[in-house]
Amino acid sequence: MDRYGMQNQIACIRRSLFDQGYLDEQFIQLEELQDDANPNFVQEIVTLFYTDSTRLIQNIELTLTSRPTNFSKLDDYMHQFKGSSSSIGAKKVTSECAVFRQYCAAGNAEACIRSFQHIKQEHAILRKKLEFYFQMMGQAAVAQTT
Amino acid sequence: MNSSSGKSYMSTASSSVIWKAGGDVVADQFPAGLRVLVVDDDPTCLMILEKMLKACQYNVTKCNRAETALSMLRENRNGFDIIISDVHMPDMDGFKLLEHIGLEMDLPVIMMSADDGKNVVMKGVTHGACDYLIKPVRIEALKNIWQHVVRKRKNEWKDFEQSGSVEEGDRQPKQSEDADYSSSANEGNWKSSKRRKDDEDENDERDDTSTLKKPRVVWSVELHQQFVAAVNQLGIEKAVPKKILELMNVPGLTRENVASHLQKYRLYLRRLSGVSQHPSNLNNSFMNPQDATFGPLDLQALAATGQLPAQSLATLQAAGLGRSTAKSGIPMPLVDQRNIFSFENPKLRFGEAQQHVNNNKQMNLLHGIPTTMEPKQLAGLHHTAQSMGNMNMPVLSHGSQSSQNNPLLMQMAQPQARGQMLNDSTVGLAPRLLSPMGQPMLSNGMATNVSTRNGVPENIRAPSYNPVSQTSSMLNFPMNHISELPGNSFPLVSTPGISSLAPKVAFQEDVNSEIKGSVGFMPSYDIFNDLNQHKPQNWELQNVGMMFNTSQHSNSLRGNLDHTQSVLVQQGFSTGQNRNSTVISKAMFSAGDSTGHVNAQNGNQHLNSLFVDNTVRVKSERVADAAPANLYPDHFGQEDLMSALLKQQDVIAPAENNDFDFDGYSIDNIPV
């Protein structure tokens, strides 16, 4: 694929991420922080997020399965998770977290579990999409140098 | 000047430059290079923030644990200009960190959280945060954080100037304006009260030295002692930079140096009254009433915070140790706190003092109830004590003979109207206090001031301020207290524990009103006033003071004092250290968020409500201190003590310059 073709494709991918609501304005903030000194900043942040959030997800899972359900702990974890995901602009993930917290506040364990499934799904979907996106960018960068 | 101070100095200079230019940011590099410390346990957020701040050309240090951040700040007080902290952290609550920073370092703190609930934001405000950011944080929000630094400096300046150093004419107006557009509520209160006070006191002190850049003077122990002595001699209310300078007779020292130091000192004293020392300290020192080991404890605390200069620490410890043995358990934290006025740092480190206060014994903090002249305070006073020591000594020596102390105390208090009042009340109290406290104190060696505990709680309060050396502070404190803090004098009499509060309150009070006689003249501390009204209770306070001194009280006092500094106060009290006394203060601060302190008995409750009304945070602190009565179940009906303390507090508080407004300083009580 030629240089421009690739760039166009990447631009399309990116736009669709926003259009479909996977990413929000915060992601743009990250992109703006990227500069020559940190050319892979966005990717680094996303990687960091996924590493950290995976750990958080495990903790939440454990807490969800233990009885009696410790709602305050769940809320704590989810608060952290929400803060993290909102920082990178993960829109769908963040809104699912908000839903979870509502159920958690209501003490509805069942709903929390269901909501958490959604969170994990969104979390995984976004990850794939971003990985693909970064991969394309990497290829484009290589293409540019060749 | 040391480099760090030079650095901050420069920042100040920059700010001033900005002001001079009519508020426009001049072409200097500010705010580039602003030193920001960002604390967040979330690594993703932390990295993003760091990058954003760097993009704003700030000098960023990141930290993922609150404890680490706190120790970093303690090690290098002047190393940062502003702190950004997350609310939700695993090892320490963000608000607690906020309180600590406010108390110890008095740096602007911005809180942030994904939580945008009104309650949380309100909590941030009440705890003294200068701003609150909602996550996800955008870079635009970070671009303007420098305004908080400038604002704070400006306020400091204002106090500075008002305290007698006249800067260029254009600066004056600016400062007045400053109060107008202070963004945070605290600042507003603080500034206005400060301004008021300053105007009252310092109008005639204008100098023609109006250099914005004042060379930083390192306030060594000796220098500070001279300073304290001069202040005591003049009386805290009459202590104007010019006269202090004359009395000190130190070549090369300018009136501006003295003015700024005086300002800090006042703040310090205020903190002492309301600040509760570190929990650890508190526990140590206060825990055992019998043991009044505040000295050693405080020292440790102080040392821990790095505030206590090695020498001071040694001194304090020596004093403290001596005292501990002898002490009947009445800690004189109050006194120490006062004295702990950071000798070394030109900037008052309230945090330190607060720690002292807390540790020493909340008691002192309490309204100035002489109850417990925390050793720490004594330590702090220590330089002061030296000068004052003479005065106190006689008193102290009698320790047991409260009456004797009283006269002395009274003498000391003389200069200050407040002191007078206290004396009266304290006289009655002092004897009591003195006996239990005096004796031990004497033995410690701090004696001079220590004994004041009974009557000199006030002094004690002050010392704690300086971590320098608890022991020394103890001694000094009483002395200083008496002379310096009119308000403090009250504490002497009233309750040891309370005294710590008193100083604090006193400061505030000053702004509002003089301590009329320790009786509820403090506008800001309505509650205290009420307390004061019950003069007769002074003696009660003594008891209270004693109780407080022993342990909790000091803590609570401390917490209280600190609270005034920052909204955090509430927290500080809760820590439990404040126990009873803090209750009151707590009420004030956290709008009733007294966790543990609320023990405050009825009196406290009352106070609390009163305080709550008062926006001044400090007030709450004070009240809380009074409350500590609960803490010391045994000795004196805590309730009685509390009320006595509370009253004392009121009395004492007014004496002090309130211009500092407690808002900024959170007390160490904040349980970590």
Side-chain angles (χ1 to χ4, degrees), chain B residues 435-447:
Chain B
S435 4
M437 307 205 295
Q439 316 229 329
M441 308 220 285
L442 292 177
S443 47
N444 291 328
M446 311 220 322

Side-chain angles (χ1 to χ4, degrees), chain B residues 155-189:
Chain B
N155 290 341
E156 281 178 6
W157 254 2
K158 217 181 338 181
D159 289 344
F160 205 64
E161 285 200 356
Q162 291 179 343
S163 53
S165 49
V166 174
E167 302 296 346
E168 288 109 6
D170 61 349
R171 242 180 318 138
Q172 296 295 338
K174 293 222 171 64
Q175 296 195 336
S176 342
E177 295 163 15
D178 185 26
D180 300 339
Y181 39 69
S182 164
S183 61
S184 67
N186 303 334
E187 283 182 308
N189 292 340

